[in-house]
Amino acid sequence: MNSNSDAGKEPVTGQPYLKTIAASYEHVPSLDGLRAISIAAVLFTHFVAPHGPGGYGVFLFFIISGFLITRLLFAEQNRREISIKDFYLRRFFRLYPVLVVFTLFAVTVSYFRYGHFSLDEAFAALFYYANFLIVHKELTGQPLDFEAFQVFWSLSVEEHFYLFFPVIFFFLKKAERVAILAIVVIVACTAARYLMASAHPELIGTHYFGMLTQYRIDSIALGVLLAAMCEIPAGQRIVMLADRYWMLALAFVVLAAGFILIRDPALKTALRWPMLGFPILVMIAAVVFSPRHRLAIAALNHPAAVWTGKLSYSLYVWHTLAGYAAHDLLANPVLATAGAVFFSYLFAALSYFLIEQPMIRAGKRMRKKTGPHVPPGGPAEATLAG
């Protein structure tokens, strides 16, 4: 969920799409707008409709993350500047300071609100195993001590993936091999979901398949696959088909047919994310690499959408505490919902300007002293994280 620039600043080019498919340090337009859609889905679900599209918003975040980070690695590789150390430094300074401040604040709030410290959930957030803790508590009938920590399940999935991916990428080097790796991960996760869901159908409907790393990293791998295809001539030709209306129609037909025709719950659980990923990959490629869909591109690059996209990481982290604050201060449900959105943006803006940007700049200064760094305006690491 972070911005497209390593330094937090993008060059203003006025270009609403990328003319070159292959990876470069050029700012990727429309992705902040897509992140805005993602975080809007999450906020809507948590503040308005508990059974809303928040999970699909996180899914979109995963794909954007895999696409942008892999594209950054290819750009560095093309300029022979790839540095695994810099990769981890960027992620640390981009993500961890906000996480630490939030955790300290949330533990304090949980004590004064509920009279106890939520230490197990705090440690799970700080050390990126929140997804495993949440599933464990669900399956053993233990309630969460403080639900503000629940959002860290997705950040945990991302960090588990990126703990190993840059190292594997460094040794694979060629885009064709990275594409094959992504396909293997997608197929393996799909098969694992099907086998486990078939053996334990009682897990279907729980967070087991939706949160555990081994069943969700294919969502990130879908973005990796798109980025790898952009580096392969045959893949580039496929990507350029995305702006055709028939391709988008085909993607949604496949998605609809899958959900309508597949009756086996285990198979539907297994294929859910790959089937949904097909139209999302088509839509991302269509708005990023082509000017054809002008209305969509204009909306995704509107200043309000771009601003929300830049704040998306802090919005995601802080919005649950913002919701608590609004509901404590405002008795009217409608006003409380509006207040939750307002406080979410307020907390996110404070986090962005007082924590995110200063720490990103500090990390950049450190990398300048120790070796090659991503030039200003380079593609950003996206996380929910982004």
Side-chain angles (χ1 to χ4, degrees):
M1 281 192 186
N2 28 339
S3 65
N4 284 349
S5 168
D6 188 65
K9 299 178 181 179
E10 296 91 4
V12 180
T13 63
Q15 184 64 46
Y17 68 99
L18 293 177
K19 291 185 176 180
T20 302
I21 295 181
S24 68
Y25 288 124
E26 185 180 0
H27 166 67
V28 182
S30 294
L31 290 189
D32 275 324
L34 289 171
R35 269 193 289 263
I37 293 174
S38 301
I39 191 61
V42 172
L43 296 181
F44 179 78
T45 300
H46 289 172
F47 294 156
V48 179
H51 299 289
Y56 298 107
V58 173
F59 179 58
L60 178 56
F61 276 129
F62 279 151
I63 293 179
I64 293 172
S65 174
F67 172 69
L68 270 181
I69 289 183
T70 307
R71 188 174 178 84
L72 170 61
L73 290 172
F74 276 122
E76 291 180 340
Q77 179 176 269
N78 292 341
R79 292 183 57 163
R80 297 182 180 180
E81 293 178 344
I82 191 168
S83 168
I84 294 176
K85 180 189 70 175
D86 282 357
F87 178 90
Y88 290 121
L89 282 175
R90 280 196 302 271
R91 289 196 69 79
F92 177 84
F93 281 97
R94 176 65 183 86
L95 305 178
Y96 214 67
V98 172
L99 173 57
V100 171
V101 173
F102 172 86
T103 301
L104 293 174
F105 193 80
V107 167
T108 303
V109 169
S110 72
Y111 177 75
F112 286 103
R113 186 182 175 93
Y114 299 111
H116 62 80
F117 294 109
S118 305
L119 292 182
D120 60 340
E121 292 162 13
F123 279 111
L126 287 171
F127 296 102
Y128 294 112
Y129 62 91
N131 57 334
F132 289 99
L133 179 65
I134 291 169
V135 171
H136 170 73
K137 286 196 170 188
E138 180 184 24
L139 297 183
T140 56
Q142 303 176 56
L144 292 174
D145 292 329
F146 195 45
E147 292 189 355
F149 287 112
Q150 187 168 3
V151 297
F152 290 98
W153 76 265
S154 56
L155 296 178
S156 299
V157 172
E158 283 194 283
E159 291 315 300
H160 298 161
F161 184 86
Y162 294 122
L163 182 63
F164 301 104
F165 178 68
V167 178
I168 296 173
F169 181 96
F170 181 81
F171 287 103
L172 291 178
K173 297 186 182 297
K174 293 185 177 180
E176 292 85 354
R177 295 172 182 170
V178 176
I180 292 172
L181 171 66
I183 293 171
V184 168
V185 170
I186 294 167
V187 172
C189 286
T190 302
R193 283 193 297 268
Y194 178 71
L195 292 173
M196 182 58 77
S198 298
H200 297 280
E202 71 278 6
L203 295 175
I204 299 175
T206 70
H207 289 118
Y208 190 87
F209 296 108
M211 287 189 177
L212 292 186
T213 302
Q214 63 268 33
Y215 301 116
R216 283 310 305 267
I217 57 173
D218 58 331
S219 300
I220 303 174
L222 286 165
V224 174
L225 178 61
L226 177 59
M229 290 175 64
C230 292
E231 306 302 308
I232 305 168
Q236 292 177 352
R237 290 191 290 271
I238 295 173
V239 169
M240 286 309 297
L241 292 175
D243 73 339
R244 305 295 194 269
Y245 290 109
W246 64 263
M247 176 63 85
L248 189 59
L250 175 63
F252 278 100
V253 166
V254 171
L255 175 64
F259 279 104
I260 293 172
L261 298 178
I262 298 176
R263 298 296 182 181
D264 179 12
L267 188 58
K268 186 171 288 189
T269 298
L271 293 175
R272 178 185 182 186
W273 301 119
M275 285 194 307
L276 184 62
F278 181 25
I280 289 180
L281 291 179
V282 171
M283 287 189 292
I284 291 175
V287 296
V288 168
F289 298 114
S290 169
R292 186 170 187 176
H293 305 284
R294 295 181 181 179
L295 290 178
I297 291 173
L300 291 172
N301 291 280
H302 188 277
V306 172
W307 176 237
T308 297
K310 291 181 185 302
L311 292 182
S312 58
Y313 174 55
S314 280
L315 276 171
Y316 186 76
V317 170
W318 290 95
H319 77 274
T320 47
L321 282 183
Y324 290 147
H327 284 278
D328 284 347
L329 294 173
L330 302 167
N332 183 284
V334 175
L335 292 179
T337 299
V341 175
F342 172 77
F343 284 128
S344 293
Y345 273 85
L346 176 62
F347 291 178
L350 291 173
S351 175
Y352 182 78
F353 286 112
L354 299 180
I355 306 173
E356 285 189 54
Q357 292 303 296
M359 295 310 300
I360 287 174
R361 288 192 291 269
K364 188 176 180 181
R365 287 194 297 270
M366 179 179 292
R367 296 199 307 278
K368 280 183 177 179
K369 294 177 181 179
T370 59
H373 64 283
V374 179
E381 298 184 35
T383 185
L384 288 172

